Amino acid sequence: DTTGLAHLEGEAVSIALDGVVYASPHNPAYATVTVTGGAVAIPTGYSTAVIGLPFTVDVRTLDIESSGTRSTKEAGVNVKRVGLWVEETGAVWAGQKVPTVDHTLTGLHQHPMRDDEEQALAAGETKTGYGEILTDGAWSRSGSIFIRHVDPTPMTLLAAIPYFDAGR
């Protein structure tokens, strides 16, 4: 057990054990742990436990605009995938539409966190480099991309590059 968390009583918390996500209330892939009696139960054998309130990082890119004779606002844009350049970043999700519920990942697709050899990264590892996310490919007038990060891991987004068709 980890004690000394009375100030978080009744709160669902994010937990990283030696840098590996153990609990993340906004990510259904992980457990939800609630502080009870000023403590939480965690597995033994870890040297560092980071426990705190969950956070959600949201990024929305600017609209796509072309310099052609027909504006993308008039023609429409279909973003089929987005490339992300990241540095020392854990899991990231992206899509074209902002989810209608706070902190949800519904309608978003996960960034393929893989190393240069295309092997899945081990738990707790981060990625530096480039990866792509396929989107739902819906036509819109803006072409903006929505990016969300919900786990207790680092995120440094260096660039978001939409790959799209314009005009229909």
Side-chain angles (χ1 to χ4, degrees):
D1 284 351
T2 302
T3 59
L5 302 173
H7 61 290
L8 297 173
E9 186 66 32
E11 297 283 351
V13 292
S14 291
I15 302 173
L17 303 173
D18 289 343
V20 177
V21 179
Y22 174 72
S24 184
H26 300 156
N27 185 343
Y30 295 102
T32 297
V33 175
T34 302
V35 176
T36 306
V40 293
I42 58 174
T44 59
Y46 293 94
S47 60
T48 305
V50 177
I51 302 169
L53 292 174
F55 57 88
T56 299
V57 176
D58 289 339
V59 176
R60 186 168 186 171
T61 64
L62 296 172
D63 292 355
I64 295 173
E65 189 54 62
S66 71
S67 60
T69 58
R70 188 171 180 207
S71 167
T72 54
K73 297 276 188 258
E74 297 168 7
V77 178
N78 181 1
V79 178
K80 295 183 176 180
R81 61 190 164 100
V82 61
L84 297 179
W85 281 98
V86 296
E87 182 177 346
E88 296 299 320
T89 297
V92 184
W93 286 261
Q96 289 178 265
K97 296 181 181 179
V98 177
T100 56
V101 178
D102 285 347
H103 314 298
T104 185
L105 299 174
T106 303
L108 301 176
H109 302 274
Q110 189 171 1
H111 184 277
M113 300 318 248
R114 304 201 178 279
D115 63 19
D116 292 336
E117 288 78 40
E118 293 301 316
Q119 300 298 312
L121 295 176
E125 288 187 321
T126 57
K127 175 177 176 88
T128 295
Y130 178 81
E132 294 180 359
I133 301 174
L134 296 177
T135 68
D136 291 333
W139 286 91
S140 73
R141 296 282 179 215
S142 73
S144 68
I145 298 298
F146 181 77
I147 300 163
R148 178 165 277 175
H149 178 71
V150 298
D151 294 332
T153 57
M155 176 183 146
T156 302
L157 177 64
L158 303 173
I161 305 161
Y163 295 92
F164 62 94
D165 293 329
R168 52 176 172 162

